[in-house]
Each structure stands twice: as C-alpha cells, then as structure tokens.
Amino acid sequence: MIIVYRSNTGFTKAYAEMLGKAENMKVCPLAETQGKVGPGEPVFFMGPLMAGHIAGIDQAVKKFNLKGVCGVGMSPVSPQVLDTLSKANYVPDAPIFYLQGGWAPKQVGWLKRRMVGMATKSMRESLRDRGSRRTPEEDKQLDFLLHGGSFVAFENLETIRKWMKTL
Ligand SMILES: Cc1cc2nc3c(=O)[nH]c(=O)nc-3n(C[C@H](O)[C@H](O)[C@H](O)COP(=O)(O)O)c2cc1C
C-alpha cells in the first residue's frame, strides 16, 4: 500500500510522512502520482478538510484502488466530526479516519481565512465573552482560533496504525 496525500499548509503532509516512516510505506503527493502509483496498487489517501470535504478525495476515488481515507482538520476529534465526515465524503468500501491537524492562518489567502473566520465566529465570540472566567484550556483554544497552531502528534496515528495491521 502507498500513502497518497494532499496538503495546503503542511499538517497532512507531516502526518503522511510520519505514518509512512512508522509503517515503512511509500508516501507520494497527489500531484505527483503519475507513474509512481501502479495500476490497482492499494492506496491510503489523506487530505485536508475544507468545509467538511476532504480536498482531493473525488480525484482519489476515481483514480486509485482506495483501501482507506483520512481527513485532517482543525477541529478536535469527536463522534460528530467523524459522522459529518462520512456523510460529506463518498468513499466506496473503505473506512474514513479523522486526525486533528492544525490551523495556519498566515499561510492561507484572505478569502479562505475569512471563510474559516466565519465558521469559527460564534465559538470565538463565546470564548471572548467569558473574559477572565476562561479556563487555561479555553485560553489555549481562543489563541489557536486567532493565531493558529499545530496538534500534529505521532500518538494520534495509533488508530490508523492498528487498522493497517489488520489488512
Ligand atoms: C477554507 C477552509 C475550510 C476549512 N474547513 C474545515 C472544516 O470544515 N473542518 C475542519 O476541521 N477544518 C477545516 N479547515 C482547517 C484545515 O482543514 C486544517 O487547517 C488542516 O489541518 C489543513 O491541513 P493541511 O495543512 O494539510 O492543508 C479549513 C481550512 C480552510 C482554509
């Protein structure tokens, strides 16, 4: 199996490379798969979430023999996130995983920054409104939404690595 990924700001790339190293698998960016992914070769696809949609997934479904898919977003892991992910992304006969990546506002254009800003507005406002009553955890969350940060960690790959061993 080969890991194919798409990444705009580097978080998915970091996970793909970590996973490839740990599982001794080849890793290839989606744009460079020509001649590198054999016909029918099993693929694990990873891509960043954009408004619930895994970027590159449609191309990956059409082109590859997908064995599994992973979306990488900025939201913390939760049952709701996984549920939305499976509903918004059509992947026939392959499991969908989710990893928390990060948020890099300075690396995305103003329009995308605004889109994310609108999506996180109510959360930012309610955190701001709590003022001095914010917990240290909520302070961190607000700082993450405003300035960005990374949640990429090797331990997060545990579920995917366990699943890979069952193949
Ligand atoms: C336009 C846009 C839409 C996004 N939508 C979502 C989303 O629906 N859910 C989420 O968790 N993260 C969302 N994000 C955050 C990215 O998925 C997150 O920063 C991810 O880690 C980026 O991965 P990358 O560095 O590999 O590109 C969005 C980011 C942008 C720029």
Side-chain angles (χ1 to χ4, degrees), residues 107-145:
Q107 286 184 61
V108 303
W110 69 270
L111 186 59
K112 286 182 176 168
R113 201 160 50 234
R114 248 192 101 174
M115 280 166 68
V116 173
M118 285 194 297
T120 59
K121 190 169 183 237
S122 65
M123 196 185 288
R124 272 184 288 121
E125 281 176 354
S126 69
L127 285 167
R128 270 209 179 107
D129 289 348
R130 285 176 53 75
S132 59
R133 286 173 294 132
R134 274 196 305 274
T135 64
E137 203 43 56
E138 287 169 336
D139 275 338
K140 265 193 223 156
Q141 204 182 347
L142 183 59
D143 185 70
F144 173 75
L145 294 174

PDB file of all heavy atoms in Angstrom, residues 107-145:
ATOM      1  N   GLN A 107      -0.715  31.236   6.393  1.00  0.00           N
ATOM      2  CA  GLN A 107      -0.341  30.527   5.158  1.00  0.00           C
ATOM      3  C   GLN A 107      -1.494  30.388   4.182  1.00  0.00           C
ATOM      4  O   GLN A 107      -1.324  29.787   3.113  1.00  0.00           O
ATOM      5  CB  GLN A 107       0.175  29.134   5.500  1.00  0.00           C
ATOM      6  CG  GLN A 107       1.559  29.139   6.098  1.00  0.00           C
ATOM      7  CD  GLN A 107       2.014  27.706   6.302  1.00  0.00           C
ATOM      8  OE1 GLN A 107       2.134  26.931   5.376  1.00  0.00           O
ATOM      9  NE2 GLN A 107       2.240  27.363   7.547  1.00  0.00           N
ATOM     10  N   VAL A 108      -2.687  30.860   4.555  1.00  0.00           N
ATOM     11  CA  VAL A 108      -3.803  30.760   3.607  1.00  0.00           C
ATOM     12  C   VAL A 108      -4.209  32.158   3.139  1.00  0.00           C
ATOM     13  O   VAL A 108      -3.976  33.141   3.840  1.00  0.00           O
ATOM     14  CB  VAL A 108      -5.029  30.002   4.201  1.00  0.00           C
ATOM     15  CG1 VAL A 108      -4.645  28.612   4.673  1.00  0.00           C
ATOM     16  CG2 VAL A 108      -5.683  30.779   5.329  1.00  0.00           C
ATOM     17  N   GLY A 109      -4.803  32.239   1.964  1.00  0.00           N
ATOM     18  CA  GLY A 109      -5.215  33.523   1.412  1.00  0.00           C
ATOM     19  C   GLY A 109      -6.331  34.157   2.240  1.00  0.00           C
ATOM     20  O   GLY A 109      -6.959  33.488   3.066  1.00  0.00           O
ATOM     21  N   TRP A 110      -6.602  35.444   1.982  1.00  0.00           N
ATOM     22  CA  TRP A 110      -7.562  36.173   2.826  1.00  0.00           C
ATOM     23  C   TRP A 110      -8.964  35.595   2.732  1.00  0.00           C
ATOM     24  O   TRP A 110      -9.703  35.558   3.723  1.00  0.00           O
ATOM     25  CB  TRP A 110      -7.555  37.671   2.489  1.00  0.00           C
ATOM     26  CG  TRP A 110      -8.138  37.981   1.131  1.00  0.00           C
ATOM     27  CD1 TRP A 110      -7.444  38.042  -0.043  1.00  0.00           C
ATOM     28  CD2 TRP A 110      -9.509  38.228   0.806  1.00  0.00           C
ATOM     29  NE1 TRP A 110      -8.298  38.309  -1.072  1.00  0.00           N
ATOM     30  CE2 TRP A 110      -9.577  38.443  -0.590  1.00  0.00           C
ATOM     31  CE3 TRP A 110     -10.693  38.307   1.540  1.00  0.00           C
ATOM     32  CZ2 TRP A 110     -10.777  38.707  -1.255  1.00  0.00           C
ATOM     33  CZ3 TRP A 110     -11.885  38.575   0.888  1.00  0.00           C
ATOM     34  CH2 TRP A 110     -11.916  38.768  -0.488  1.00  0.00           C
ATOM     35  N   LEU A 111      -9.336  35.104   1.543  1.00  0.00           N
ATOM     36  CA  LEU A 111     -10.703  34.605   1.360  1.00  0.00           C
ATOM     37  C   LEU A 111     -10.926  33.351   2.209  1.00  0.00           C
ATOM     38  O   LEU A 111     -11.934  33.230   2.911  1.00  0.00           O
ATOM     39  CB  LEU A 111     -10.958  34.307  -0.121  1.00  0.00           C
ATOM     40  CG  LEU A 111     -12.382  33.912  -0.473  1.00  0.00           C
ATOM     41  CD1 LEU A 111     -13.388  34.988  -0.084  1.00  0.00           C
ATOM     42  CD2 LEU A 111     -12.510  33.601  -1.959  1.00  0.00           C
ATOM     43  N   LYS A 112      -9.953  32.441   2.156  1.00  0.00           N
ATOM     44  CA  LYS A 112     -10.051  31.206   2.952  1.00  0.00           C
ATOM     45  C   LYS A 112      -9.995  31.528   4.436  1.00  0.00           C
ATOM     46  O   LYS A 112     -10.689  30.919   5.245  1.00  0.00           O
ATOM     47  CB  LYS A 112      -8.928  30.240   2.574  1.00  0.00           C
ATOM     48  CG  LYS A 112      -9.171  29.585   1.237  1.00  0.00           C
ATOM     49  CD  LYS A 112      -8.077  28.609   0.926  1.00  0.00           C
ATOM     50  CE  LYS A 112      -8.398  27.889  -0.375  1.00  0.00           C
ATOM     51  NZ  LYS A 112      -7.245  27.140  -0.845  1.00  0.00           N
ATOM     52  N   ARG A 113      -9.141  32.502   4.792  1.00  0.00           N
ATOM     53  CA  ARG A 113      -9.039  32.897   6.202  1.00  0.00           C
ATOM     54  C   ARG A 113     -10.382  33.434   6.694  1.00  0.00           C
ATOM     55  O   ARG A 113     -10.836  33.156   7.789  1.00  0.00           O
ATOM     56  CB  ARG A 113      -7.948  33.967   6.339  1.00  0.00           C
ATOM     57  CG  ARG A 113      -7.400  34.086   7.727  1.00  0.00           C
ATOM     58  CD  ARG A 113      -6.049  34.747   7.777  1.00  0.00           C
ATOM     59  NE  ARG A 113      -6.003  36.007   7.048  1.00  0.00           N
ATOM     60  CZ  ARG A 113      -5.117  36.275   6.116  1.00  0.00           C
ATOM     61  NH1 ARG A 113      -4.197  35.390   5.789  1.00  0.00           N
ATOM     62  NH2 ARG A 113      -5.123  37.423   5.478  1.00  0.00           N
ATOM     63  N   ARG A 114     -11.037  34.183   5.789  1.00  0.00           N
ATOM     64  CA  ARG A 114     -12.346  34.734   6.147  1.00  0.00           C
ATOM     65  C   ARG A 114     -13.398  33.655   6.298  1.00  0.00           C
ATOM     66  O   ARG A 114     -14.250  33.695   7.184  1.00  0.00           O
ATOM     67  CB  ARG A 114     -12.790  35.728   5.080  1.00  0.00           C
ATOM     68  CG  ARG A 114     -12.797  37.135   5.628  1.00  0.00           C
ATOM     69  CD  ARG A 114     -13.476  38.069   4.716  1.00  0.00           C
ATOM     70  NE  ARG A 114     -14.823  38.352   5.170  1.00  0.00           N
ATOM     71  CZ  ARG A 114     -15.594  39.251   4.593  1.00  0.00           C
ATOM     72  NH1 ARG A 114     -15.152  39.913   3.548  1.00  0.00           N
ATOM     73  NH2 ARG A 114     -16.805  39.483   5.040  1.00  0.00           N
ATOM     74  N   MET A 115     -13.333  32.650   5.375  1.00  0.00           N
ATOM     75  CA  MET A 115     -14.301  31.547   5.438  1.00  0.00           C
ATOM     76  C   MET A 115     -14.193  30.818   6.778  1.00  0.00           C
ATOM     77  O   MET A 115     -15.196  30.542   7.437  1.00  0.00           O
ATOM     78  CB  MET A 115     -14.033  30.541   4.300  1.00  0.00           C
ATOM     79  CG  MET A 115     -14.584  30.980   2.961  1.00  0.00           C
ATOM     80  SD  MET A 115     -13.917  29.995   1.608  1.00  0.00           S
ATOM     81  CE  MET A 115     -14.677  28.407   1.944  1.00  0.00           C
ATOM     82  N   VAL A 116     -12.956  30.542   7.177  1.00  0.00           N
ATOM     83  CA  VAL A 116     -12.744  29.858   8.461  1.00  0.00           C
ATOM     84  C   VAL A 116     -13.154  30.796   9.606  1.00  0.00           C
ATOM     85  O   VAL A 116     -13.787  30.377  10.567  1.00  0.00           O
ATOM     86  CB  VAL A 116     -11.273  29.392   8.610  1.00  0.00           C
ATOM     87  CG1 VAL A 116     -11.003  28.847  10.002  1.00  0.00           C
ATOM     88  CG2 VAL A 116     -10.962  28.327   7.558  1.00  0.00           C
ATOM     89  N   GLY A 117     -12.832  32.073   9.442  1.00  0.00           N
ATOM     90  CA  GLY A 117     -13.198  33.073  10.453  1.00  0.00           C
ATOM     91  C   GLY A 117     -14.701  33.095  10.692  1.00  0.00           C
ATOM     92  O   GLY A 117     -15.162  33.165  11.833  1.00  0.00           O
ATOM     93  N   MET A 118     -15.468  32.985   9.607  1.00  0.00           N
ATOM     94  CA  MET A 118     -16.928  32.999   9.740  1.00  0.00           C
ATOM     95  C   MET A 118     -17.416  31.730  10.426  1.00  0.00           C
ATOM     96  O   MET A 118     -18.314  31.763  11.255  1.00  0.00           O
ATOM     97  CB  MET A 118     -17.581  33.165   8.368  1.00  0.00           C
ATOM     98  CG  MET A 118     -17.465  34.597   7.873  1.00  0.00           C
ATOM     99  SD  MET A 118     -18.530  34.969   6.466  1.00  0.00           S
ATOM    100  CE  MET A 118     -17.887  33.897   5.227  1.00  0.00           C
ATOM    101  N   ALA A 119     -16.787  30.594  10.043  1.00  0.00           N
ATOM    102  CA  ALA A 119     -17.210  29.314  10.614  1.00  0.00           C
ATOM    103  C   ALA A 119     -16.899  29.228  12.115  1.00  0.00           C
ATOM    104  O   ALA A 119     -17.593  28.538  12.849  1.00  0.00           O
ATOM    105  CB  ALA A 119     -16.530  28.164   9.870  1.00  0.00           C
ATOM    106  N   THR A 120     -15.856  29.937  12.562  1.00  0.00           N
ATOM    107  CA  THR A 120     -15.480  29.823  13.975  1.00  0.00           C
ATOM    108  C   THR A 120     -15.911  31.052  14.789  1.00  0.00           C
ATOM    109  O   THR A 120     -15.585  31.157  15.970  1.00  0.00           O
ATOM    110  CB  THR A 120     -13.943  29.638  14.123  1.00  0.00           C
ATOM    111  OG1 THR A 120     -13.277  30.759  13.525  1.00  0.00           O
ATOM    112  CG2 THR A 120     -13.447  28.362  13.462  1.00  0.00           C
ATOM    113  N   LYS A 121     -16.676  31.956  14.133  1.00  0.00           N
ATOM    114  CA  LYS A 121     -17.033  33.226  14.773  1.00  0.00           C
ATOM    115  C   LYS A 121     -17.760  33.041  16.116  1.00  0.00           C
ATOM    116  O   LYS A 121     -17.374  33.628  17.122  1.00  0.00           O
ATOM    117  CB  LYS A 121     -17.923  34.029  13.816  1.00  0.00           C
ATOM    118  CG  LYS A 121     -18.160  35.451  14.253  1.00  0.00           C
ATOM    119  CD  LYS A 121     -18.807  36.248  13.138  1.00  0.00           C
ATOM    120  CE  LYS A 121     -18.970  37.684  13.579  1.00  0.00           C
ATOM    121  NZ  LYS A 121     -20.332  38.165  13.532  1.00  0.00           N
ATOM    122  N   SER A 122     -18.805  32.189  16.109  1.00  0.00           N
ATOM    123  CA  SER A 122     -19.603  32.091  17.328  1.00  0.00           C
ATOM    124  C   SER A 122     -18.768  31.491  18.461  1.00  0.00           C
ATOM    125  O   SER A 122     -18.903  31.901  19.620  1.00  0.00           O
ATOM    126  CB  SER A 122     -20.871  31.282  17.086  1.00  0.00           C
ATOM    127  OG  SER A 122     -20.536  29.967  16.778  1.00  0.00           O
ATOM    128  N   MET A 123     -17.886  30.549  18.103  1.00  0.00           N
ATOM    129  CA  MET A 123     -17.042  29.956  19.144  1.00  0.00           C
ATOM    130  C   MET A 123     -16.066  30.984  19.704  1.00  0.00           C
ATOM    131  O   MET A 123     -15.866  31.087  20.913  1.00  0.00           O
ATOM    132  CB  MET A 123     -16.280  28.768  18.550  1.00  0.00           C
ATOM    133  CG  MET A 123     -15.688  27.864  19.594  1.00  0.00           C
ATOM    134  SD  MET A 123     -14.694  26.589  18.860  1.00  0.00           S
ATOM    135  CE  MET A 123     -15.956  25.577  18.144  1.00  0.00           C
ATOM    136  N   ARG A 124     -15.479  31.787  18.792  1.00  0.00           N
ATOM    137  CA  ARG A 124     -14.535  32.817  19.255  1.00  0.00           C
ATOM    138  C   ARG A 124     -15.246  33.823  20.150  1.00  0.00           C
ATOM    139  O   ARG A 124     -14.749  34.223  21.191  1.00  0.00           O
ATOM    140  CB  ARG A 124     -13.921  33.551  18.056  1.00  0.00           C
ATOM    141  CG  ARG A 124     -12.675  32.876  17.510  1.00  0.00           C
ATOM    142  CD  ARG A 124     -12.065  33.688  16.420  1.00  0.00           C
ATOM    143  NE  ARG A 124     -12.879  33.640  15.219  1.00  0.00           N
ATOM    144  CZ  ARG A 124     -13.423  34.686  14.598  1.00  0.00           C
ATOM    145  NH1 ARG A 124     -13.219  35.890  15.038  1.00  0.00           N
ATOM    146  NH2 ARG A 124     -14.157  34.533  13.517  1.00  0.00           N
ATOM    147  N   GLU A 125     -16.468  34.214  19.718  1.00  0.00           N
ATOM    148  CA  GLU A 125     -17.190  35.220  20.493  1.00  0.00           C
ATOM    149  C   GLU A 125     -17.564  34.709  21.878  1.00  0.00           C
ATOM    150  O   GLU A 125     -17.446  35.431  22.865  1.00  0.00           O
ATOM    151  CB  GLU A 125     -18.419  35.699  19.721  1.00  0.00           C
ATOM    152  CG  GLU A 125     -17.993  36.688  18.659  1.00  0.00           C
ATOM    153  CD  GLU A 125     -19.123  37.158  17.771  1.00  0.00           C
ATOM    154  OE1 GLU A 125     -20.250  36.627  17.899  1.00  0.00           O
ATOM    155  OE2 GLU A 125     -18.864  38.054  16.939  1.00  0.00           O
ATOM    156  N   SER A 126     -18.020  33.441  21.927  1.00  0.00           N
ATOM    157  CA  SER A 126     -18.410  32.952  23.250  1.00  0.00           C
ATOM    158  C   SER A 126     -17.183  32.788  24.152  1.00  0.00           C
ATOM    159  O   SER A 126     -17.267  33.034  25.356  1.00  0.00           O
ATOM    160  CB  SER A 126     -19.252  31.670  23.164  1.00  0.00           C
ATOM    161  OG  SER A 126     -18.473  30.611  22.717  1.00  0.00           O
ATOM    162  N   LEU A 127     -16.042  32.448  23.566  1.00  0.00           N
ATOM    163  CA  LEU A 127     -14.821  32.345  24.379  1.00  0.00           C
ATOM    164  C   LEU A 127     -14.382  33.730  24.848  1.00  0.00           C
ATOM    165  O   LEU A 127     -13.991  33.920  26.004  1.00  0.00           O
ATOM    166  CB  LEU A 127     -13.695  31.682  23.573  1.00  0.00           C
ATOM    167  CG  LEU A 127     -13.799  30.168  23.372  1.00  0.00           C
ATOM    168  CD1 LEU A 127     -12.821  29.690  22.310  1.00  0.00           C
ATOM    169  CD2 LEU A 127     -13.539  29.423  24.678  1.00  0.00           C
ATOM    170  N   ARG A 128     -14.490  34.709  23.935  1.00  0.00           N
ATOM    171  CA  ARG A 128     -14.104  36.085  24.302  1.00  0.00           C
ATOM    172  C   ARG A 128     -15.007  36.611  25.416  1.00  0.00           C
ATOM    173  O   ARG A 128     -14.528  37.231  26.358  1.00  0.00           O
ATOM    174  CB  ARG A 128     -14.242  36.990  23.076  1.00  0.00           C
ATOM    175  CG  ARG A 128     -12.989  37.078  22.251  1.00  0.00           C
ATOM    176  CD  ARG A 128     -12.926  38.434  21.554  1.00  0.00           C
ATOM    177  NE  ARG A 128     -11.711  38.537  20.770  1.00  0.00           N
ATOM    178  CZ  ARG A 128     -11.691  38.486  19.439  1.00  0.00           C
ATOM    179  NH1 ARG A 128     -12.803  38.349  18.750  1.00  0.00           N
ATOM    180  NH2 ARG A 128     -10.553  38.599  18.801  1.00  0.00           N
ATOM    181  N   ASP A 129     -16.326  36.310  25.284  1.00  0.00           N
ATOM    182  CA  ASP A 129     -17.296  36.805  26.266  1.00  0.00           C
ATOM    183  C   ASP A 129     -17.039  36.270  27.674  1.00  0.00           C
ATOM    184  O   ASP A 129     -17.452  36.880  28.652  1.00  0.00           O
ATOM    185  CB  ASP A 129     -18.732  36.415  25.843  1.00  0.00           C
ATOM    186  CG  ASP A 129     -19.186  37.222  24.641  1.00  0.00           C
ATOM    187  OD1 ASP A 129     -18.494  38.214  24.308  1.00  0.00           O
ATOM    188  OD2 ASP A 129     -20.208  36.851  24.026  1.00  0.00           O
ATOM    189  N   ARG A 130     -16.388  35.128  27.758  1.00  0.00           N
ATOM    190  CA  ARG A 130     -16.121  34.560  29.088  1.00  0.00           C
ATOM    191  C   ARG A 130     -15.019  35.327  29.818  1.00  0.00           C
ATOM    192  O   ARG A 130     -14.869  35.178  31.041  1.00  0.00           O
ATOM    193  CB  ARG A 130     -15.761  33.072  28.978  1.00  0.00           C
ATOM    194  CG  ARG A 130     -17.012  32.221  28.693  1.00  0.00           C
ATOM    195  CD  ARG A 130     -16.690  30.766  28.488  1.00  0.00           C
ATOM    196  NE  ARG A 130     -15.910  30.150  29.567  1.00  0.00           N
ATOM    197  CZ  ARG A 130     -16.375  29.810  30.751  1.00  0.00           C
ATOM    198  NH1 ARG A 130     -17.646  30.027  31.018  1.00  0.00           N
ATOM    199  NH2 ARG A 130     -15.596  29.256  31.648  1.00  0.00           N
ATOM    200  N   GLY A 131     -14.279  36.142  29.056  1.00  0.00           N
ATOM    201  CA  GLY A 131     -13.273  37.029  29.648  1.00  0.00           C
ATOM    202  C   GLY A 131     -12.391  36.335  30.672  1.00  0.00           C
ATOM    203  O   GLY A 131     -11.813  35.287  30.397  1.00  0.00           O
ATOM    204  N   SER A 132     -12.360  36.903  31.887  1.00  0.00           N
ATOM    205  CA  SER A 132     -11.452  36.371  32.909  1.00  0.00           C
ATOM    206  C   SER A 132     -11.939  35.040  33.470  1.00  0.00           C
ATOM    207  O   SER A 132     -11.237  34.396  34.256  1.00  0.00           O
ATOM    208  CB  SER A 132     -11.298  37.393  34.035  1.00  0.00           C
ATOM    209  OG  SER A 132     -12.572  37.647  34.568  1.00  0.00           O
ATOM    210  N   ARG A 133     -13.157  34.619  33.091  1.00  0.00           N
ATOM    211  CA  ARG A 133     -13.667  33.326  33.583  1.00  0.00           C
ATOM    212  C   ARG A 133     -13.179  32.164  32.711  1.00  0.00           C
ATOM    213  O   ARG A 133     -13.474  31.012  32.980  1.00  0.00           O
ATOM    214  CB  ARG A 133     -15.206  33.346  33.619  1.00  0.00           C
ATOM    215  CG  ARG A 133     -15.758  34.189  34.769  1.00  0.00           C
ATOM    216  CD  ARG A 133     -17.251  34.323  34.690  1.00  0.00           C
ATOM    217  NE  ARG A 133     -17.641  35.084  33.494  1.00  0.00           N
ATOM    218  CZ  ARG A 133     -18.574  34.708  32.647  1.00  0.00           C
ATOM    219  NH1 ARG A 133     -19.225  33.592  32.815  1.00  0.00           N
ATOM    220  NH2 ARG A 133     -18.861  35.452  31.588  1.00  0.00           N
ATOM    221  N   ARG A 134     -12.429  32.487  31.633  1.00  0.00           N
ATOM    222  CA  ARG A 134     -11.923  31.417  30.762  1.00  0.00           C
ATOM    223  C   ARG A 134     -10.940  30.524  31.516  1.00  0.00           C
ATOM    224  O   ARG A 134     -10.092  31.017  32.253  1.00  0.00           O
ATOM    225  CB  ARG A 134     -11.188  32.003  29.547  1.00  0.00           C
ATOM    226  CG  ARG A 134     -12.074  32.345  28.380  1.00  0.00           C
ATOM    227  CD  ARG A 134     -11.257  32.547  27.114  1.00  0.00           C
ATOM    228  NE  ARG A 134     -10.207  33.533  27.250  1.00  0.00           N
ATOM    229  CZ  ARG A 134     -10.371  34.836  27.080  1.00  0.00           C
ATOM    230  NH1 ARG A 134     -11.555  35.322  26.752  1.00  0.00           N
ATOM    231  NH2 ARG A 134      -9.362  35.664  27.224  1.00  0.00           N
ATOM    232  N   THR A 135     -11.061  29.222  31.277  1.00  0.00           N
ATOM    233  CA  THR A 135     -10.107  28.277  31.863  1.00  0.00           C
ATOM    234  C   THR A 135      -8.820  28.343  31.030  1.00  0.00           C
ATOM    235  O   THR A 135      -8.863  28.816  29.884  1.00  0.00           O
ATOM    236  CB  THR A 135     -10.661  26.834  31.810  1.00  0.00           C
ATOM    237  OG1 THR A 135     -10.795  26.468  30.416  1.00  0.00           O
ATOM    238  CG2 THR A 135     -12.001  26.713  32.505  1.00  0.00           C
ATOM    239  N   PRO A 136      -7.702  27.843  31.548  1.00  0.00           N
ATOM    240  CA  PRO A 136      -6.459  27.839  30.746  1.00  0.00           C
ATOM    241  C   PRO A 136      -6.672  27.099  29.418  1.00  0.00           C
ATOM    242  O   PRO A 136      -6.112  27.489  28.388  1.00  0.00           O
ATOM    243  CB  PRO A 136      -5.469  27.087  31.638  1.00  0.00           C
ATOM    244  CG  PRO A 136      -5.980  27.252  33.024  1.00  0.00           C
ATOM    245  CD  PRO A 136      -7.473  27.340  32.919  1.00  0.00           C
ATOM    246  N   GLU A 137      -7.500  26.045  29.450  1.00  0.00           N
ATOM    247  CA  GLU A 137      -7.792  25.272  28.241  1.00  0.00           C
ATOM    248  C   GLU A 137      -8.534  26.147  27.213  1.00  0.00           C
ATOM    249  O   GLU A 137      -8.239  26.122  26.017  1.00  0.00           O
ATOM    250  CB  GLU A 137      -8.665  24.071  28.652  1.00  0.00           C
ATOM    251  CG  GLU A 137      -8.637  22.885  27.710  1.00  0.00           C
ATOM    252  CD  GLU A 137      -7.252  22.535  27.191  1.00  0.00           C
ATOM    253  OE1 GLU A 137      -6.323  22.294  28.001  1.00  0.00           O
ATOM    254  OE2 GLU A 137      -7.115  22.535  25.955  1.00  0.00           O
ATOM    255  N   GLU A 138      -9.490  26.940  27.710  1.00  0.00           N
ATOM    256  CA  GLU A 138     -10.246  27.832  26.817  1.00  0.00           C
ATOM    257  C   GLU A 138      -9.370  28.964  26.287  1.00  0.00           C
ATOM    258  O   GLU A 138      -9.537  29.405  25.148  1.00  0.00           O
ATOM    259  CB  GLU A 138     -11.477  28.385  27.555  1.00  0.00           C
ATOM    260  CG  GLU A 138     -12.554  27.327  27.746  1.00  0.00           C
ATOM    261  CD  GLU A 138     -13.660  27.762  28.694  1.00  0.00           C
ATOM    262  OE1 GLU A 138     -13.420  28.648  29.556  1.00  0.00           O
ATOM    263  OE2 GLU A 138     -14.774  27.205  28.583  1.00  0.00           O
ATOM    264  N   ASP A 139      -8.423  29.425  27.103  1.00  0.00           N
ATOM    265  CA  ASP A 139      -7.460  30.438  26.642  1.00  0.00           C
ATOM    266  C   ASP A 139      -6.680  29.902  25.451  1.00  0.00           C
ATOM    267  O   ASP A 139      -6.486  30.585  24.449  1.00  0.00           O
ATOM    268  CB  ASP A 139      -6.450  30.767  27.758  1.00  0.00           C
ATOM    269  CG  ASP A 139      -6.972  31.830  28.705  1.00  0.00           C
ATOM    270  OD1 ASP A 139      -7.883  32.587  28.297  1.00  0.00           O
ATOM    271  OD2 ASP A 139      -6.483  31.885  29.846  1.00  0.00           O
ATOM    272  N   LYS A 140      -6.263  28.636  25.575  1.00  0.00           N
ATOM    273  CA  LYS A 140      -5.485  27.998  24.506  1.00  0.00           C
ATOM    274  C   LYS A 140      -6.315  27.873  23.240  1.00  0.00           C
ATOM    275  O   LYS A 140      -5.822  28.093  22.135  1.00  0.00           O
ATOM    276  CB  LYS A 140      -5.053  26.588  24.952  1.00  0.00           C
ATOM    277  CG  LYS A 140      -3.673  26.539  25.541  1.00  0.00           C
ATOM    278  CD  LYS A 140      -3.221  25.080  25.660  1.00  0.00           C
ATOM    279  CE  LYS A 140      -2.554  24.841  26.990  1.00  0.00           C
ATOM    280  NZ  LYS A 140      -2.575  23.457  27.436  1.00  0.00           N
ATOM    281  N   GLN A 141      -7.589  27.496  23.445  1.00  0.00           N
ATOM    282  CA  GLN A 141      -8.490  27.302  22.308  1.00  0.00           C
ATOM    283  C   GLN A 141      -8.696  28.620  21.548  1.00  0.00           C
ATOM    284  O   GLN A 141      -8.640  28.662  20.318  1.00  0.00           O
ATOM    285  CB  GLN A 141      -9.827  26.797  22.845  1.00  0.00           C
ATOM    286  CG  GLN A 141     -10.643  26.035  21.843  1.00  0.00           C
ATOM    287  CD  GLN A 141     -11.973  25.627  22.443  1.00  0.00           C
ATOM    288  OE1 GLN A 141     -12.188  25.696  23.651  1.00  0.00           O
ATOM    289  NE2 GLN A 141     -12.887  25.215  21.583  1.00  0.00           N
ATOM    290  N   LEU A 142      -8.880  29.708  22.304  1.00  0.00           N
ATOM    291  CA  LEU A 142      -9.075  31.017  21.686  1.00  0.00           C
ATOM    292  C   LEU A 142      -7.806  31.447  20.939  1.00  0.00           C
ATOM    293  O   LEU A 142      -7.872  31.937  19.802  1.00  0.00           O
ATOM    294  CB  LEU A 142      -9.454  32.052  22.757  1.00  0.00           C
ATOM    295  CG  LEU A 142      -9.750  33.465  22.252  1.00  0.00           C
ATOM    296  CD1 LEU A 142     -10.904  33.466  21.234  1.00  0.00           C
ATOM    297  CD2 LEU A 142     -10.094  34.403  23.402  1.00  0.00           C
ATOM    298  N   ASP A 143      -6.675  31.241  21.556  1.00  0.00           N
ATOM    299  CA  ASP A 143      -5.406  31.594  20.917  1.00  0.00           C
ATOM    300  C   ASP A 143      -5.210  30.796  19.621  1.00  0.00           C
ATOM    301  O   ASP A 143      -4.763  31.333  18.609  1.00  0.00           O
ATOM    302  CB  ASP A 143      -4.250  31.325  21.890  1.00  0.00           C
ATOM    303  CG  ASP A 143      -2.924  31.794  21.306  1.00  0.00           C
ATOM    304  OD1 ASP A 143      -2.747  33.024  21.192  1.00  0.00           O
ATOM    305  OD2 ASP A 143      -2.092  30.946  20.930  1.00  0.00           O
ATOM    306  N   PHE A 144      -5.596  29.515  19.654  1.00  0.00           N
ATOM    307  CA  PHE A 144      -5.488  28.653  18.463  1.00  0.00           C
ATOM    308  C   PHE A 144      -6.367  29.198  17.329  1.00  0.00           C
ATOM    309  O   PHE A 144      -5.926  29.294  16.181  1.00  0.00           O
ATOM    310  CB  PHE A 144      -5.901  27.224  18.830  1.00  0.00           C
ATOM    311  CG  PHE A 144      -6.001  26.292  17.659  1.00  0.00           C
ATOM    312  CD1 PHE A 144      -4.857  25.796  17.048  1.00  0.00           C
ATOM    313  CD2 PHE A 144      -7.237  25.906  17.156  1.00  0.00           C
ATOM    314  CE1 PHE A 144      -4.939  24.931  15.952  1.00  0.00           C
ATOM    315  CE2 PHE A 144      -7.338  25.041  16.068  1.00  0.00           C
ATOM    316  CZ  PHE A 144      -6.184  24.558  15.467  1.00  0.00           C
ATOM    317  N   LEU A 145      -7.611  29.572  17.679  1.00  0.00           N
ATOM    318  CA  LEU A 145      -8.525  30.067  16.637  1.00  0.00           C
ATOM    319  C   LEU A 145      -8.035  31.388  16.056  1.00  0.00           C
ATOM    320  O   LEU A 145      -8.163  31.645  14.857  1.00  0.00           O
ATOM    321  CB  LEU A 145      -9.943  30.242  17.203  1.00  0.00           C
ATOM    322  CG  LEU A 145     -10.655  28.944  17.617  1.00  0.00           C
ATOM    323  CD1 LEU A 145     -11.979  29.257  18.298  1.00  0.00           C
ATOM    324  CD2 LEU A 145     -10.900  28.046  16.396  1.00  0.00           C
TER     325      LEU A 145
END
